[in-house]
């Protein structure tokens, strides 16, 4: 006798039911204040949020229904992680909380990537974060003259001595943890979508962020190069999943003028270029906001560290972990 009840229906019908009950028409956001259930879904969905009204209870049913429902919930929805500035712990914690199986179901994950914090590379190759630059007299940081060693990632070899002095990017090691967690779980193909800045910010790694600034807060190619290195490394085995890393940059037509060849030359593939109709200030009426979808081209040679920016900032911000040496880059 055939099995009665929901599990007695054909798998195709069950999957259609899960899609109707568990797929949101909007991106599902993961915030620092979100209370999550054991399945990594909001325990008490906020009214009018993308998950409000979804049948999340299916994720806690018997093992068969829970596994089938989770594959649809994580595989067909788009998730976006909203961490605090320069803090990637929320992404790591959420990916660990949902577990290896649910990570393998993920189809699209979006994250904000911030312009990396800076260290100062000395002629001997050491990288330090210094807090005493141009800090007013009497300020606690001025008195302590704290100095922190910021180690270089092993994939970034030390340049020939003497090294050029200047600002260099500090690459948070948690970003590598995120790539490893996503890649080493197997499963379906994943699109990891990284957002650079908000609205027209002209942040494109490898391209000077702003013009006519005495100190250019440059976002180098170190982080894109390292992410592509990690992606290739952690997906090298046949049983591991395919991860497609895409970057979204928000810029404008004037900034892009004459830069497309340069963008291609430093290793970016422009996947899509889309003009937007955001409201402009009167002084910017001539500008057309543009959204660029970029992909780092596959690396064919070993990467090297980016050339330091010789300008010294008014303050090398130490970030939320300033009391201990932290980070690589």
């Amino acid at each position: 006798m055939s099995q009665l009840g929901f599990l007695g229906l054909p798998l195709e019908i069950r999957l259609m039911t899960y899609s109707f009950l568990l797929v949101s028409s909007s991106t599902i956001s993961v915030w620092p204040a979100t209370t999550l259930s054991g399945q990594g879904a909001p325990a008490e969905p906020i009214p009018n949020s993308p998950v409000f009204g979804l049948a999340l209870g299916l994720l806690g049913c018997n093992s068969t229904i829970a596994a089938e429902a989770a594959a649809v919930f994580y595989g067909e929805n788009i998730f976006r992680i909203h961490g605090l500035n320069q803090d990637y712990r929320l992404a790591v914690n959420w990916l660990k909380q949902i577990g290896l199986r649910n990570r393998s179901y993920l189809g699209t994950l979006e994250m904000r990537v911030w312009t990396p914090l800076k260290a100062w590379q000395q002629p001997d190759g050491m990288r330090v974060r210094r807090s005493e630059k141009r800090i007013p007299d009497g300020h606690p940081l001025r008195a302590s003259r704290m100095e922190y060693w910021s180690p270089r990632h092993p994939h970034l070899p030390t340049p020939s001595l003497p090294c050029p002095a200047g600002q260099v990017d500090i690459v948070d090691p948690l970003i590598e943890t995120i790539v490893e967690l996503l890649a080493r779980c197997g499963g379906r193909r994943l699109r990891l979508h990284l957002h650079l800045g908000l609205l027209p910010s002209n942040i494109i790694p490898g391209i000077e962020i702003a013009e006519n600034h005495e100190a250019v807060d440059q976002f180098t190619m170190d982080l894109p190069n390292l992410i592509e290195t990690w992606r290739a490394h952690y997906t090298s085995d046949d049983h591991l999943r395919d991860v497609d890393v895409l970057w979204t940059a928000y810029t404008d037509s004037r900034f892009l003028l004459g830069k497309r060849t340069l963008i291609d030359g430093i290793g970016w593939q422009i996947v899509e270029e889309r003009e937007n109709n955001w409201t402009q200030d009167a002084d910017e009426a001539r500008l057309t906001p543009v959204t660029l979808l970029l992909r780092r081209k596959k690396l064919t040679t070993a990467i090297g560290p980016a050339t330091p920016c010789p300008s010294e900032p008014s303050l090398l911000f130490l970030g939320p972990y300033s009391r201990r040496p932290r980070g690589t880059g």
Side-chain angles (χ1 to χ4, degrees):
M1 180 180 293
S2 62
Q3 186 178 16
L4 299 178
F6 182 68
L7 290 177
L9 297 173
L11 178 59
E12 293 78 6
I13 301 298
R14 300 203 301 272
L15 292 178
M16 289 175 60
T17 304
Y18 299 136
S19 294
F20 179 76
L21 295 174
L22 289 170
V23 178
S24 172
S25 59
S26 304
T27 298
I28 297 177
S29 296
V30 180
W31 294 90
T34 302
T35 300
L36 301 176
S37 68
Q39 292 77 33
E44 297 180 0
I46 301 172
N48 300 320
S49 69
V51 295
F52 185 73
L54 298 184
L56 299 179
L58 291 170
L59 302 177
C61 288
N62 67 57
S63 59
T64 301
I65 292 178
E68 293 176 350
V72 172
F73 177 69
Y74 289 102
E76 297 187 20
N77 283 304
I78 298 174
F79 294 86
R80 184 165 188 179
I81 300 176
H82 298 264
L84 300 174
N85 185 30
Q86 300 292 349
D87 191 348
Y88 296 95
R89 289 176 297 178
L90 174 64
V92 172
N93 292 340
W94 183 73
L95 290 173
K96 289 182 177 179
Q97 182 176 14
I98 66 175
L100 184 146
R101 186 190 67 178
N102 291 334
R103 290 200 304 271
S104 72
Y105 294 149
L106 286 170
T108 303
L109 179 64
E110 299 184 354
M111 286 179 49
R112 170 74 189 279
V113 173
W114 291 273
T115 301
L117 301 179
K118 304 299 178 184
W120 186 259
Q121 179 170 280
Q122 302 177 142
D124 62 2
M126 292 291 293
R127 295 180 170 199
V128 295
R129 284 181 284 177
R130 297 187 295 184
S131 63
E132 73 274 12
K133 292 185 177 299
R134 304 183 190 177
I135 299 177
D137 291 337
H139 192 285
L141 292 180
R142 182 74 178 186
S144 63
R145 295 180 62 85
M146 290 182 294
E147 196 163 272
Y148 299 89
W149 175 53
S150 181
R152 180 182 291 100
H153 192 278
H155 285 300
L156 296 175
T158 303
S160 301
L161 298 179
C163 295
Q167 285 188 73
V168 290
D169 288 349
I170 302 172
V171 177
D172 193 322
L174 290 180
I175 302 177
E176 181 176 4
T177 302
I178 292 169
V179 175
E180 182 178 6
L181 286 171
L182 291 170
R184 284 201 161 175
C185 57
R188 63 184 297 170
R189 186 173 191 265
L190 170 69
R191 171 170 287 192
L192 177 59
H193 202 152
L194 306 176
H195 293 263
L196 295 159
L198 299 172
L199 300 181
S201 54
N202 293 336
I203 298 176
I204 301 177
I207 307 293
E208 288 189 357
I209 291 177
E211 299 175 358
N212 301 323
H213 282 198
E214 293 182 2
V216 178
D217 193 18
Q218 188 175 359
F219 192 146
T220 72
M221 286 295 291
D222 280 352
L223 179 57
N225 288 342
L226 285 170
I227 289 180
E228 174 57 21
T229 300
W230 299 329
R231 185 205 64 79
H233 173 70
Y234 291 122
T235 61
S236 58
D237 295 338
D238 293 338
H239 66 280
L240 300 178
R241 77 193 316 178
D242 180 21
V243 178
D244 184 21
V245 182
L246 296 171
W247 301 68
T248 295
Y250 304 94
T251 181
D252 59 65
S253 55
R254 184 175 62 183
F255 181 81
L256 273 181
L257 190 63
K259 289 188 173 69
R260 290 174 179 82
T261 301
L262 176 60
I263 293 171
D264 178 81
I266 60 176
W268 290 114
Q269 173 195 356
I270 299 179
V271 178
E272 181 182 342
E273 182 175 332
R274 183 176 67 252
E275 293 186 356
N276 302 284
N277 295 318
W278 299 322
T279 302
Q280 297 290 312
D281 297 333
D283 295 338
E284 299 179 344
R286 295 174 297 171
L287 302 182
T288 301
V290 176
T291 299
L292 288 180
L293 188 63
L294 304 169
R295 178 185 290 116
R296 177 65 175 93
K297 298 177 184 178
K298 292 184 178 180
L299 298 170
T300 57
T301 59
I303 63 174
T307 302
C309 177
S311 300
E312 295 195 24
S314 57
L315 174 65
L316 293 177
F317 177 59
L318 298 178
Y321 310 103
S322 59
R323 290 293 176 180
R324 57 186 173 89
R326 178 181 181 276
T328 56

